[in-house]
Amino acid sequence: MSVLLSDVVSGSAVGLRGRLWQLTAAELRAAAIEASAEILRLEAVRVAVVDELSMRPDDQVIASRGVGSWLAANTMLQVRDGKKIAALGAALRPFSAVAARFDCGDCSFDHAVLIVAFCESPPKGMPEEALPRCIDLLLAAASGVEATTTKVRHVIATLERVFESDEIPPAEDVDLNELRIASTLNGRVVVRGDFDALTGEMLLSALSNLTMPTPAPDGTPDARSAAKRTADGFTELIRRYLDCAKTGTDGGQRPHVNVYINARDLAEHRDCAAAPSDGEESPSDLDVGHMPWLGPLSVSQTRLLGCDCFLSTVLLDDHGAPLDARPGKRLVSAEQRVALIARDKGCAFPGCTCVPAWTDAHHIKHWANGGPTVMSNLVLLCRSHHRLMHRKSGFVGKWAIRIGVDNKPWFIPPPSIDPQRHPRPANTTFKT
């Protein structure tokens, strides 16, 4: 069955992918442009219809607590998106010029939202008669294929500068900053924030180098999505801050991640943690760490953190009440870390190019099993390879690390990688 260019946009997408090979590159470009224009047209239609329905709601809309919620309940939209559509329709009513440009498909949904937001709350120093001219400038920036959000925001910032007053522009108002952090039912964390432009710039600048794609040693492109790279960069940013910054004190101690676990549960072997004791013990007390903010943490992750941490020992009675506490000791001292960097040059795992700043000090023999904090029992590993040694599914216990006669770490791969298990030297990419 052949495919015609006119059918691509007007027809269904079902089975279309298998027939697009019949179109030339020029026809594919034309189809993409036409489909985008059709999306803008339908977007404007939906906004107009929803706005009219909001002014003449029937029982179904009223029962849904508003037209935005009704739209979300009857489509695949989220409630917040349904409400945004309804809000734009209402906001466009007093600004016919903006509505006309949006309706003809020459202004996107997001740009229309920016323009009406400015019109609804113009700078206090701007006279009323200047509004039509300001709208013309904003629409000029928002129209055509060269329109960008940056251009629209630049015009808004310029107008706020022209009609400067004592009022702080929304983009610079730190009193509007919000950050919400909430735990979910499955123990994860949801973060939502709204910051002023300067704070946003600092955050983006801090994340910039941490979120760049990092090819594998063999040149394979980074397979992580942009969102995953940003999440990884944000995690690394927090870890570096807590490790290095002057964070002040929290209850007499520099704030960091605190995890509590029974010493025997921290042992490497599960049979040790699960060994029967004299008293009754709940299964929930075994094989789990505990964080003050977010609660349970798996013993595997707790052991991972335990490789390079500030250890405090607290003795508890049979009821879990503290009996005594000893001052903490740093398992890997600053001097030891300097020596590890000099020896391992970064992550020591063969082929890894991770720099020293992104590594943890890993105990070859876990300290909970009596492994000493000495150079012959320590190796630098990046977070990915640290997890590989501790808890990566299918790899736990398969890779082995030994300190060779050269006093450097050697890695012994599992049989699935090398049946002969020939030792591999540590990574020495970062020689000085």
Side-chain angles (χ1 to χ4, degrees), residues 75-109:
T75 63
M76 298 178 69
L77 292 172
Q78 299 296 312
V79 173
R80 62 178 180 274
D81 296 323
K83 290 183 176 180
K84 282 181 64 176
I85 292 169
L88 178 59
L92 286 172
R93 294 174 201 165
F95 307 109
S96 57
V98 183
R101 195 67 65 89
F102 176 67
D103 291 344
C104 73
D106 200 28
C107 178
S108 71
F109 184 97

Side-chain angles (χ1 to χ4, degrees), residues 115-134:
I115 294 173
V116 296
F118 174 86
C119 295
E120 289 178 333
S121 301
K124 288 186 177 180
M126 188 183 81
E128 187 175 347
E129 57 269 22
L131 183 58
R133 177 56 180 160
C134 292

Side-chain angles (χ1 to χ4, degrees), residues 162-175:
V162 170
F163 302 107
E164 190 171 6
S165 66
D166 293 335
E167 184 180 14
I168 301 174
E172 301 174 11
D173 191 352
V174 296
D175 290 337

Side-chain angles (χ1 to χ4, degrees), residues 88-331:
L88 178 59
L92 286 172
R93 294 174 201 165
F95 307 109
S96 57
V98 183
R101 195 67 65 89
F102 176 67
D103 291 344
C104 73
D106 200 28
C107 178
S108 71
F109 184 97
D110 291 335
H111 292 167
V113 169
L114 281 175
I115 294 173
V116 296
F118 174 86
C119 295
E120 289 178 333
S121 301
K124 288 186 177 180
M126 188 183 81
E128 187 175 347
E129 57 269 22
L131 183 58
R133 177 56 180 160
C134 292
I135 291 177
D136 290 341
L137 293 173
L138 290 167
L139 288 175
S143 300
V145 295
E146 296 182 354
T148 63
T149 302
T150 300
K151 288 184 177 181
V152 177
R153 291 185 61 247
H154 178 77
V155 174
I156 292 175
T158 301
L159 293 174
E160 289 173 340
R161 176 66 181 86
V162 170
F163 302 107
E164 190 171 6
S165 66
D166 293 335
E167 184 180 14
I168 301 174
E172 301 174 11
D173 191 352
V174 296
D175 290 337
L176 299 178
N177 289 1
E178 293 180 338
L179 181 64
R180 293 183 173 88
I181 304 176
S183 58
T184 63
L185 292 177
N186 65 355
R188 296 183 64 81
V189 173
V190 175
V191 180
R192 291 190 178 95
D194 181 10
F195 296 100
D196 64 281
L198 179 59
T199 302
E201 182 69 18
M202 290 190 294
L203 178 60
L204 292 174
S205 296
L207 288 173
S208 176
N209 190 51
L210 301 177
T211 57
M212 292 193 308
T214 305
D218 62 358
T220 304
D222 195 331
R224 297 176 299 168
S225 66
K228 182 63 169 65
R229 294 200 310 271
T230 302
D232 291 346
F234 191 65
T235 301
E236 182 64 27
L237 185 67
I238 295 172
R239 189 166 72 94
R240 291 189 188 187
Y241 169 76
L242 293 175
D243 283 343
C244 307
K246 296 180 179 179
T247 57
T249 59
D250 182 6
Q253 183 180 359
R254 288 180 63 186
H256 211 295
V257 176
N258 295 317
V259 182
Y260 303 92
I261 189 169
N262 293 330
R264 67 187 185 85
D265 287 343
L266 192 58
E268 192 68 29
H269 301 291
R270 291 184 59 87
D271 53 58
C272 177
S277 59
D278 295 336
E280 291 292 328
E281 201 160 34
S282 170
S284 62
D285 293 332
L286 296 175
D287 285 348
V288 67
H290 180 81
M291 297 178 293
W293 286 95
L294 293 175
L297 185 69
S298 71
V299 70
S300 297
Q301 182 70 2
T302 305
R303 289 170 183 154
L304 172 63
L305 295 174
C307 255
D308 189 10
C309 72
F310 188 83
L311 173 65
S312 294
T313 302
V314 180
L315 301 179
L316 306 177
D317 62 16
D318 294 338
H319 304 286
L323 291 174
D324 188 18
R326 294 195 314 227
K329 65 175 182 177
R330 185 164 294 279
L331 293 181

Side-chain angles (χ1 to χ4, degrees), residues 344-356:
D344 297 342
K345 313 295 190 300
C347 178
F349 197 88
C352 186
T353 59
C354 190
V355 297

